[in-house]
Amino acid sequence: QVYKGLDIITNKVSPQEQRLCRHHMISFVDPLVSNYTVVDFRDKAVPLISYIFARDKIPIVVGGTNYYIESLLWKVLINTKERPSSAPRLHSDRKVELEQLDSAELHRRLRQVDPEMAARLHPHDKRKVARSLQVFEETGIPHSEILHQQQGEEGGGPLGGPLKYPHSCILWLHADQAALDARLEKRVDDMVAAGLLEELRDFHRRYNQEKVAQNRQDYQHGIFQSIGFKEFHEYLVSEGKCSPETSALLLEKGIQALKQVTKRYARRQNKWVRNRFLKRPGPNVPPVYGLEVSDLQRWEEDVLKPALEIVESFIQGREPPVEPLRMEQDEENKRSHRVCELCDRIIIGDREWA
């Protein structure tokens, strides 16, 4: 009943949910593709959204990673080389190649072609520096200039270009921190009970064991950087080669590490919502409605009923019965560049400098 007439675009879903309505973009990237990017995601999701709208239905985008959702809401990404959209890339791309260089050399190259972008980025932030160099190499235009063009479009702002879908809204499910932490810890225990370890062993045996033996394992790209695999590295590589007591200790260490990084990731997601959605400067920001999920016994009253009322109001073109969340816009310059001569360090951002 809740799902009727909806199409869901998500990467997290149960079989029961899939039976209730049509889901898209589930299990569609080969695990060995190490350079699947947010641009690839956007290029596949946007045509799906158009297809769903054309069928007079409402697409629901479910997170997931807020940065990927942001790529669908605003014009914020930069296309570089044209490539076939039918399948993810199996070969290495230029950004990955650049990341192999020394940080100082990378930053020196960026200073030569785009001094404004180089001043914004910390020299040790290899991923962003490499991305800016890639943009220049593959477009011939400095990254900073393309960003200025996006921001200067009608409806653009300091954080990017205009909003793509003017009649969208964001439902933010948030919980008391203690309740959320307890729920996340239980989630990890449930994953272990449901067969996480066998899945990890199988994945390690098929995809990572040979790389570890050759000292080529890479926990910075692709599936191997995701939460839930690298935390069990010591356990997986030593299983069968150490005593049962040591193996049990390494297993417990992996489980506790998984709980810690999961909680840390949840905090980062909530911080992203506050800083990028609620405090976002500019005129085109979808309203964000907060739904309290601390007490699951009150799901119907606190979450389901108000969510349906909000969505129904948007469908009918009237004001929802509840006010969206509002926060003061952050005036901090997060890209200011200063050098502390006492400790010989580059400091990026007003807050870090303070």
Side-chain angles (χ1 to χ4, degrees):
Q1 192 176 24
V2 174
Y3 283 108
K4 187 177 179 183
L6 302 178
D7 279 74
I8 313 294
I9 298 170
T10 182
N11 63 344
K12 297 180 179 180
V13 62
S14 70
Q16 181 186 11
E17 290 169 327
Q18 290 193 60
R19 285 193 294 270
L20 289 169
C21 71
R22 184 173 181 184
H23 288 69
H24 302 268
M25 299 177 71
I26 303 289
S27 300
F28 69 100
V29 180
D30 187 291
L32 293 185
V33 173
S34 64
N35 52 2
Y36 187 84
T37 70
V38 65
V39 175
D40 297 307
F41 169 80
R42 181 207 60 187
D43 290 349
K44 186 170 180 66
V46 166
L48 275 171
I49 291 173
S50 300
Y51 164 72
I52 294 165
F53 275 132
R55 292 165 56 221
D56 201 26
K57 292 192 174 186
I58 299 170
I60 308 293
V61 181
V62 182
T65 305
N66 293 322
Y67 178 48
Y68 279 53
I69 293 176
E70 187 171 321
S71 76
L72 302 181
L73 289 174
W74 288 278
K75 184 180 178 181
V76 290
L77 299 180
I78 296 169
N79 292 325
T80 52
K81 282 186 175 176
E82 291 296 322
R83 57 179 181 269
S85 58
S86 57
R89 295 158 293 168
L90 288 168
H91 60 276
S92 177
D93 66 10
R94 181 58 178 153
K95 178 172 174 286
V96 175
E97 293 171 359
L98 287 166
E99 286 178 23
Q100 307 308 310
L101 297 175
D102 174 76
S103 295
E105 171 61 16
L106 266 180
H107 202 256
R108 185 191 66 77
R109 292 190 186 188
L110 185 60
R111 282 199 310 272
Q112 289 180 334
V113 299
D114 192 350
E116 181 182 341
M117 206 66 200
R120 290 193 206 179
L121 300 177
H122 197 286
H124 294 162
D125 194 342
K126 288 184 76 170
R127 285 194 173 196
K128 289 184 179 178
V129 174
R131 173 57 179 161
S132 287
L133 268 175
Q134 179 197 21
V135 168
F136 176 77
E137 288 184 4
E138 297 184 358
T139 66
I141 305 171
H143 193 178
S144 57
E145 186 178 325
I146 297 176
L147 293 178
H148 286 314
Q149 291 171 2
Q150 284 186 348
Q151 294 161 3
E153 294 182 30
E154 184 178 355
L159 295 184
L163 192 66
K164 292 180 186 174
Y165 307 101
H167 302 296
S168 39
C169 72
I170 298 172
L171 303 178
W172 180 28
L173 279 65
H174 59 88
D176 171 77
Q177 194 64 57
L180 178 59
D181 285 347
R183 196 174 299 159
L184 292 173
E185 292 211 2
K186 182 179 183 302
R187 178 182 178 223
V188 171
D189 292 334
D190 290 345
M191 287 165 64
V192 173
L196 173 66
L197 296 182
E198 189 50 47
E199 184 178 332
L200 288 171
R201 288 190 194 102
D202 180 60
F203 198 83
H204 176 69
R205 192 164 48 245
R206 286 195 291 158
Y207 298 121
N208 208 38
Q209 196 167 35
E210 186 178 338
K211 289 185 176 184
V212 171
Q214 298 172 357
N215 198 26
R216 292 189 302 110
Q217 73 271 18
D218 178 9
Y219 293 119
Q220 302 299 318
H221 297 95
I223 191 70
F224 299 106
Q225 69 179 319
S226 61
I227 292 174
F229 187 77
K230 58 185 177 294
E231 288 74 23
F232 291 89
H233 174 82
E234 287 184 89
Y235 171 74
L236 292 169
V237 299
S238 64
E239 193 175 24
K241 303 175 184 176
C242 60
S243 67
E245 293 79 13
T246 301
S247 188
L249 287 172
L250 291 175
L251 173 58
E252 183 58 26
K253 181 182 176 182
I255 291 172
Q256 293 307 316
L258 179 54
K259 290 179 178 180
Q260 284 300 113
V261 295
T262 302
K263 290 186 286 188
R264 199 178 304 136
Y265 182 64
R267 282 170 169 78
R268 285 206 306 272
Q269 284 186 310
N270 286 332
K271 185 178 179 182
W272 185 285
V273 172
R274 286 190 290 269
N275 290 340
R276 301 285 291 190
F277 294 164
L278 292 174
K279 294 182 181 179
R280 193 182 188 97
N284 285 345
V285 182
V288 179
Y289 296 93
L291 299 168
E292 174 65 52
V293 294
S294 296
D295 184 359
L296 294 183
Q297 300 299 317
R298 292 185 51 82
W299 176 267
E300 297 262 340
E301 308 97 291
D302 294 347
V303 184
L304 181 57
K305 186 171 181 289
L308 290 174
E309 289 175 347
I310 291 165
V311 173
E312 190 72 24
S313 299
F314 267 80
I315 292 172
Q316 296 176 359
R318 55 182 172 83
E319 287 295 315
V322 295
E323 286 288 314
L325 298 173
R326 303 187 191 281
M327 292 183 75
E328 287 187 20
Q329 290 182 6
D330 197 343
E331 300 299 325
E332 175 203 358
N333 182 357
K334 296 178 180 175
R335 292 299 186 192
S336 63
H337 183 284
R338 299 181 180 91
V339 177
C340 175
E341 300 197 1
L342 283 173
C343 53
D344 191 27
R345 285 186 60 189
I346 293 172
I347 309 295
I348 304 293
D350 291 351
R351 187 175 303 171
E352 292 296 321
W353 178 252

